[in-house]
Amino acid sequence: VPVKPHKVKHTTIVANPRIAGLFVPDVDKLEKMIAARFPEPIATGTDLRANNIALLETRYEYENWVKALFKVHQDEGAMFNGQDPLGAALRSNAIFVSGMFSVCLEGMPVEQERRAVAFGVGYQYFRQLTNDKSPAALQTGFGNITEAMMMGEPGTTVLSGYTDRKVGDAPARWSD
Protein backbone atom coordinates (compact mmCIF):
# COMPACT_ATOMS: atom_id res chain seq x y z
CA VAL A 1 0.00 0.00 0.00
CA PRO A 2 1.60 3.31 -1.03
CA VAL A 3 2.26 6.10 1.43
CA LYS A 4 0.44 9.40 1.01
CA PRO A 5 0.12 12.66 2.96
CA HIS A 6 -2.42 12.95 5.78
CA LYS A 7 -2.76 16.52 7.02
CA VAL A 8 -3.26 17.56 10.61
CA LYS A 9 -3.34 21.27 11.54
CA HIS A 10 0.43 21.97 11.50
CA THR A 11 1.87 18.55 10.64
CA THR A 12 1.63 16.23 7.66
CA ILE A 13 1.90 12.51 8.37
CA VAL A 14 3.19 10.62 5.34
CA ALA A 15 2.19 6.97 5.71
CA ASN A 16 -0.08 4.29 4.39
CA PRO A 17 -3.71 4.81 5.43
CA ARG A 18 -3.62 2.17 8.20
CA ILE A 19 -0.52 3.64 9.87
CA ALA A 20 -1.84 7.19 9.44
CA GLY A 21 -5.08 6.15 11.13
CA LEU A 22 -3.07 5.13 14.19
CA PHE A 23 -1.03 8.34 14.47
CA VAL A 24 -3.14 11.22 13.12
CA PRO A 25 -5.32 11.26 16.28
CA ASP A 26 -2.19 11.42 18.47
CA VAL A 27 -0.74 14.29 16.44
CA ASP A 28 -4.05 16.15 16.52
CA LYS A 29 -4.22 15.76 20.31
CA LEU A 30 -0.58 16.82 20.72
CA GLU A 31 -1.00 19.87 18.50
CA LYS A 32 -3.95 21.00 20.62
CA MET A 33 -1.88 20.50 23.80
CA ILE A 34 1.02 22.50 22.36
CA ALA A 35 -1.28 25.32 21.21
CA ALA A 36 -2.88 25.49 24.68
CA ARG A 37 0.49 25.58 26.45
CA PHE A 38 2.34 27.77 23.91
CA PRO A 39 -0.44 29.68 22.10
CA GLU A 40 1.90 32.01 20.26
CA PRO A 41 3.91 31.81 18.11
CA ILE A 42 2.91 28.16 17.63
CA ALA A 43 -0.57 28.96 16.35
CA THR A 44 0.63 31.19 13.54
CA GLY A 45 4.31 30.34 13.20
CA THR A 46 4.26 26.81 11.84
CA ASP A 47 3.47 25.57 8.36
CA LEU A 48 2.31 22.00 7.74
CA ARG A 49 4.04 21.98 4.35
CA ALA A 50 7.40 22.07 6.14
CA ASN A 51 6.50 19.81 9.08
CA ASN A 52 6.42 16.27 7.71
CA ILE A 53 6.72 12.94 9.48
CA ALA A 54 7.13 9.87 7.27
CA LEU A 55 6.17 6.65 9.03
CA LEU A 56 7.50 3.64 7.13
CA GLU A 57 6.17 0.26 8.18
CA THR A 58 9.05 -1.98 7.10
CA ARG A 59 12.82 -1.69 6.96
CA TYR A 60 12.64 -2.19 3.18
CA GLU A 61 10.24 0.78 2.80
CA TYR A 62 12.37 2.91 5.12
CA GLU A 63 15.61 2.17 3.28
CA ASN A 64 14.07 2.91 -0.12
CA TRP A 65 12.57 6.13 1.26
CA VAL A 66 15.90 7.26 2.74
CA LYS A 67 17.79 6.52 -0.49
CA ALA A 68 15.22 8.53 -2.46
CA LEU A 69 15.45 11.47 -0.01
CA PHE A 70 19.23 11.56 -0.29
CA LYS A 71 19.14 11.30 -4.08
CA VAL A 72 16.67 14.17 -4.44
CA HIS A 73 18.70 16.39 -2.11
CA GLN A 74 22.02 15.50 -3.73
CA ASP A 75 20.55 16.11 -7.19
CA GLU A 76 19.61 19.58 -5.94
CA GLY A 77 23.19 20.19 -4.77
CA ALA A 78 22.81 19.50 -1.06
CA MET A 79 25.92 18.46 0.85
CA PHE A 80 25.77 16.08 3.82
CA ASN A 81 28.19 16.02 6.76
CA GLY A 82 30.14 12.95 7.80
CA GLN A 83 32.05 10.25 6.01
CA ASP A 84 29.07 8.08 5.11
CA PRO A 85 25.86 10.03 5.82
CA LEU A 86 23.67 7.73 3.72
CA GLY A 87 25.08 4.65 5.40
CA ALA A 88 24.52 6.18 8.83
CA ALA A 89 20.94 7.10 7.89
CA LEU A 90 20.26 3.58 6.62
CA ARG A 91 21.57 2.04 9.86
CA SER A 92 19.40 4.35 11.95
CA ASN A 93 15.70 3.95 12.77
CA ALA A 94 14.96 7.63 12.22
CA ILE A 95 16.47 10.59 10.40
CA PHE A 96 15.70 14.23 9.84
CA VAL A 97 16.45 15.69 6.43
CA SER A 98 15.22 19.15 5.45
CA GLY A 99 11.68 19.28 6.82
CA MET A 100 11.13 15.50 6.74
CA PHE A 101 11.43 13.38 9.88
CA SER A 102 11.43 9.75 8.72
CA VAL A 103 10.88 6.82 11.07
CA CYS A 104 11.16 3.06 10.52
CA LEU A 105 8.41 1.45 12.61
CA GLU A 106 9.48 -2.17 12.07
CA GLY A 107 10.32 -3.85 15.36
CA MET A 108 9.56 -0.72 17.38
CA PRO A 109 7.17 -1.10 20.35
CA VAL A 110 3.98 0.97 19.99
CA GLU A 111 4.90 3.30 22.87
CA GLN A 112 8.27 4.03 21.27
CA GLU A 113 6.54 4.74 17.94
CA ARG A 114 4.23 7.23 19.65
CA ARG A 115 7.17 8.86 21.42
CA ALA A 116 9.09 9.18 18.14
CA VAL A 117 6.13 10.89 16.48
CA ALA A 118 5.62 13.27 19.43
CA PHE A 119 9.34 14.10 19.38
CA GLY A 120 9.22 14.71 15.61
CA VAL A 121 6.34 17.16 15.93
CA GLY A 122 8.09 19.25 18.60
CA TYR A 123 11.49 19.12 16.91
CA GLN A 124 10.06 20.45 13.66
CA TYR A 125 7.90 23.08 15.35
CA PHE A 126 10.95 24.58 17.04
CA ARG A 127 13.07 24.30 13.90
CA GLN A 128 10.45 26.23 11.94
CA LEU A 129 9.87 28.87 14.61
CA THR A 130 13.57 29.74 14.61
CA ASN A 131 13.99 29.53 10.83
CA ASP A 132 16.33 26.58 11.45
CA LYS A 133 18.80 28.96 13.11
CA SER A 134 18.56 27.61 16.66
CA PRO A 135 21.13 25.18 18.03
CA ALA A 136 20.21 21.55 17.47
CA ALA A 137 20.16 21.12 21.26
CA LEU A 138 17.16 23.48 21.52
CA GLN A 139 15.36 21.78 18.64
CA THR A 140 15.85 18.35 20.17
CA GLY A 141 15.02 19.75 23.60
CA PHE A 142 11.63 20.99 22.45
CA GLY A 143 11.06 17.59 20.82
CA ASN A 144 11.77 16.00 24.19
CA ILE A 145 9.30 18.38 25.86
CA THR A 146 6.50 17.55 23.39
CA GLU A 147 7.20 13.86 23.90
CA ALA A 148 6.77 14.35 27.65
CA MET A 149 3.57 16.38 27.05
CA MET A 150 2.08 13.58 24.97
CA MET A 151 3.24 10.62 27.03
CA GLY A 152 3.04 12.15 30.50
CA GLU A 153 6.71 11.58 31.23
CA PRO A 154 9.95 11.65 29.30
CA GLY A 155 11.18 8.46 27.71
CA THR A 156 14.33 8.30 25.68
CA THR A 157 16.00 11.69 25.59
CA VAL A 158 17.23 12.63 22.14
CA LEU A 159 20.37 14.71 22.11
CA SER A 160 21.96 16.48 19.22
CA GLY A 161 25.04 14.78 17.86
CA TYR A 162 26.67 18.13 17.11
CA THR A 163 27.98 18.94 20.57
CA ASP A 164 29.18 16.59 23.28
CA ARG A 165 27.45 17.23 26.59
CA LYS A 166 27.81 15.83 30.06
CA VAL A 167 24.10 15.79 30.82
CA GLY A 168 24.51 13.87 34.08
CA ASP A 169 26.85 16.53 35.46
CA ALA A 170 24.35 19.36 35.05
CA PRO A 171 23.12 20.90 38.34
CA ALA A 172 19.51 20.75 37.09
CA ARG A 173 17.71 19.48 34.03
CA TRP A 174 17.76 22.23 31.40
CA SER A 175 14.02 21.79 30.77
CA ASP A 176 13.31 22.82 34.37
Side-chain angles (χ1 to χ4, degrees):
V1 177
V3 299
K4 66 177 199 165
H6 303 269
K7 296 181 188 311
V8 190
K9 185 166 185 175
H10 295 284
T11 305
T12 301
I13 299 293
V14 180
N16 71 45
R18 186 183 69 75
I19 296 295
L22 297 173
F23 291 96
V24 166
D26 271 359
V27 172
D28 183 53
K29 176 182 174 183
L30 179 59
E31 288 190 335
K32 288 175 182 167
M33 292 169 72
I34 294 168
R37 177 64 181 91
F38 308 104
E40 285 297 339
I42 298 288
T44 60
T46 55
D47 182 350
L48 68 86
R49 294 170 298 177
N51 190 12
N52 303 285
I53 300 175
L55 301 173
L56 293 309
E57 194 166 17
T58 67
R59 192 81 200 166
Y60 177 78
E61 290 173 345
Y62 175 78
E63 289 176 0
N64 285 324
W65 179 267
V66 168
K67 288 174 187 174
L69 275 178
F70 270 71
K71 179 166 180 8
V72 166
H73 283 80
Q74 287 170 332
D75 288 351
E76 293 177 353
M79 303 288 288
F80 294 96
N81 295 329
Q83 291 184 355
D84 182 17
L86 177 58
L90 292 172
R91 288 186 296 276
S92 177
N93 287 329
I95 64 161
F96 176 78
V97 176
S98 187
M100 177 67 71
F101 184 63
S102 304
V103 181
C104 177
L105 300 177
E106 185 173 313
M108 197 180 282
V110 173
E111 181 177 322
Q112 189 179 354
E113 293 172 351
R114 293 180 69 218
R115 287 181 180 281
V117 170
F119 169 83
V121 169
Y123 178 93
Q124 293 193 84
Y125 267 37
F126 203 88
R127 184 189 58 78
Q128 277 192 53
L129 292 171
T130 61
N131 293 318
D132 211 12
K133 294 186 187 328
S134 63
L138 292 179
Q139 294 171 3
T140 57
F142 195 70
N144 292 331
I145 288 171
T146 56
E147 175 203 350
M149 288 174 70
M150 182 67 190
M151 303 303 290
E153 62 183 42
T156 303
T157 301
V158 178
L159 294 174
S160 158
Y162 298 115
T163 306
D164 292 333
R165 289 184 249 341
K166 294 184 179 179
V167 177
D169 295 341
R173 293 180 315 177
W174 72 268
S175 59
D176 289 342

